[in-house]
């Protein structure tokens, strides 16, 4: 836990006036059997004044619920899986997300509709919106490279605006086509 805190301190010291948002994605960084993210966030909040939020992209829903329960009043937790936005909103009292597909306007519109429909207790319609997001996930996952597919779609969306965000970072960029 202290090693995790110490590593985040480096970022915090580099930008002392900027809130720090930690991306928790164990599937991309490896899961440490002795690493407890709940204890780490508690220590991080104590030791790093700028630690303000986290993107939680972890399939351990109990961890999310525990983090929400312990730190909701002092720390913002964003859900990171597009596929569970409705579940996170209804069952876990999650108020926000940071998801890969939020780069695509139609997904953002579906997410906004989910929030509105949950507020109206129209869970059947909210489920239909969540299924649209799931279908979009499946489409990009079946492309062979989820992030390359999203980057390509995003660039196609902003190209008419005269914007060009370039290639994905290595090693993803090798197969990028305009």
């Amino acid at each position: 836990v202290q090693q995790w805190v110490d590593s985040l301190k480096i970022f915090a010291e580099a930008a002392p006036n900027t809130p720090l948002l930690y991306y928790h994605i164990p599937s991309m960084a490896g899961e440490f059997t002795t690493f407890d993210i709940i204890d780490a966030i508690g220590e991080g909040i104590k030791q790093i004044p700028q630690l303000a939020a986290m993107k939680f992209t972890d399939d351990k829903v109990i961890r999310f619920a525990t983090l929400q329960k312990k730190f909701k009043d002092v720390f913002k937790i964003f859900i990171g899986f597009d596929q569970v936005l409705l579940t996170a909103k209804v069952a876990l009292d999650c108020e926000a997300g940071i998801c890969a597909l939020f780069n695509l306007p139609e997904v953002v519109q579906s997410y906004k509709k989910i929030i509105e429909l949950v507020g109206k207790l129209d869970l059947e319609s909210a489920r239909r919106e969540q299924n649209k997001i799931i279908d979009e996930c499946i489409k990009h996952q079946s492309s062979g490279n989820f992030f390359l597919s999203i980057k390509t779609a995003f660039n196609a969306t902003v190209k008419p605006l005269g914007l060009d965000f370039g290639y994905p970072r290595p090693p993803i960029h090798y197969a990028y086509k305009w």
Side-chain angles (χ1 to χ4, degrees):
V1 168
Q2 192 57 49
Q3 287 176 340
W4 178 86
V5 171
D6 291 343
S7 69
L8 287 187
K9 282 181 180 179
I10 295 167
F11 294 99
E13 290 166 3
N17 298 317
T18 304
L20 180 59
L21 169 66
Y22 168 66
Y23 269 47
H24 180 67
I25 312 174
S27 66
M28 302 292 258
E31 185 72 43
F32 302 106
T33 57
T34 60
F35 181 76
D36 184 337
I37 191 60
I38 297 162
D39 289 343
I41 293 298
E43 280 304 308
I45 290 169
K46 289 179 198 170
Q47 297 182 39
I48 306 169
Q50 304 95 301
L51 185 58
M54 76 184 295
K55 174 185 178 181
F56 186 88
T57 308
D58 187 338
D59 60 1
K60 309 294 189 282
V61 179
I62 297 298
R63 286 183 190 162
F64 183 90
T66 303
L67 286 162
Q68 282 280 88
K69 198 174 278 191
K70 287 185 85 164
F71 303 114
K72 188 175 183 178
D73 294 334
V74 295
F75 188 75
K76 184 73 173 175
I77 306 166
F78 298 89
I79 196 71
F81 281 127
D82 305 89
Q83 306 92 311
V84 297
L85 293 170
L86 178 58
T87 302
K89 176 71 177 150
V90 174
L92 301 172
D93 195 28
C94 180
E95 297 177 0
I98 299 174
C99 300
L101 292 178
F102 282 3
N103 289 294
L104 307 177
E106 63 274 12
V107 174
V108 173
Q109 292 309 313
S110 286
Y111 181 58
K112 287 179 177 179
K113 287 180 187 173
I114 287 171
I115 293 170
E116 176 187 333
L117 293 165
V118 167
K120 294 178 180 178
L121 300 178
D122 184 357
L123 297 183
E124 183 61 35
S125 297
R127 191 173 15 251
R128 281 195 295 274
E129 292 302 321
Q130 178 66 73
N131 284 331
K132 288 180 187 177
I133 295 171
I134 290 170
D135 289 344
E136 193 71 17
C137 284
I138 291 168
K139 178 177 93 176
H140 291 286
Q141 288 171 345
S142 66
S143 73
N145 188 317
F146 182 70
F147 296 106
L148 175 61
S149 181
I150 293 169
K151 179 71 175 208
T152 303
F154 174 69
N155 271 326
T157 301
V158 297
K159 191 173 186 176
L161 303 173
L163 300 172
D164 177 355
F165 289 92
Y167 298 104
R169 63 174 167 70
I172 297 171
H173 77 287
Y174 73 92
Y176 194 70
K177 305 266 190 263
W178 283 103

